Amino acid sequence: SLIFAWPLDLPADGKTESEISLFIRNEEGKGIPEVSVRLTSSVGTVRESLLSTNSDGKAIFHVSSSQVGVAQIEAFVDNKKLQRAISVKFE
């Protein structure tokens, strides 16, 4: 699985969002469709509570915050935490 965020630095205005792309893949690197995924963020809020991956194994989340800080973002697939995590900075 892969997880990306853009932008990594953004204003803590409660409106500007970082787009978090999550890719769920099998051992051969092919996307797995229809997998339930969710994100948690230590700072701010995640707009989407739970998504299913599309036909390419991709799900897109959006995170925003009105609080300044570094958000540790973790992904869960079928309630199992992925080893990869990312951080986004709200200033």
Side-chain angles (χ1 to χ4, degrees):
S1 59
L2 302 169
I3 186 168
F4 300 101
W6 185 258
L8 295 174
D9 295 316
L10 57 158
D13 60 8
K15 296 180 292 213
T16 307
E17 294 179 320
S18 180
E19 184 176 283
I20 314 297
S21 298
L22 183 62
F23 297 88
I24 305 302
R25 298 188 172 166
N26 62 18
E27 290 79 24
E28 291 86 44
K30 296 189 181 198
I32 305 173
E34 302 301 318
V35 175
S36 293
V37 292
R38 68 181 173 92
L39 287 189
T40 60
S41 179
S42 61
V43 174
T45 56
V46 180
R47 188 185 345 148
E48 301 83 2
S49 57
L50 183 69
L51 293 175
S52 288
T53 56
N54 67 12
S55 59
D56 297 322
K58 180 179 182 181
I60 298 176
F61 294 85
H62 300 86
V63 179
S64 62
S65 179
S66 53
Q67 177 184 348
V68 172
V70 176
Q72 300 299 323
I73 298 170
E74 296 179 323
F76 294 81
V77 177
D78 296 329
N79 286 323
K80 293 185 190 106
K81 185 167 81 168
L82 296 182
Q83 289 183 335
R84 296 175 194 259
I86 55 169
S87 58
V88 174
K89 185 176 180 184
F90 292 98
E91 336 186 68

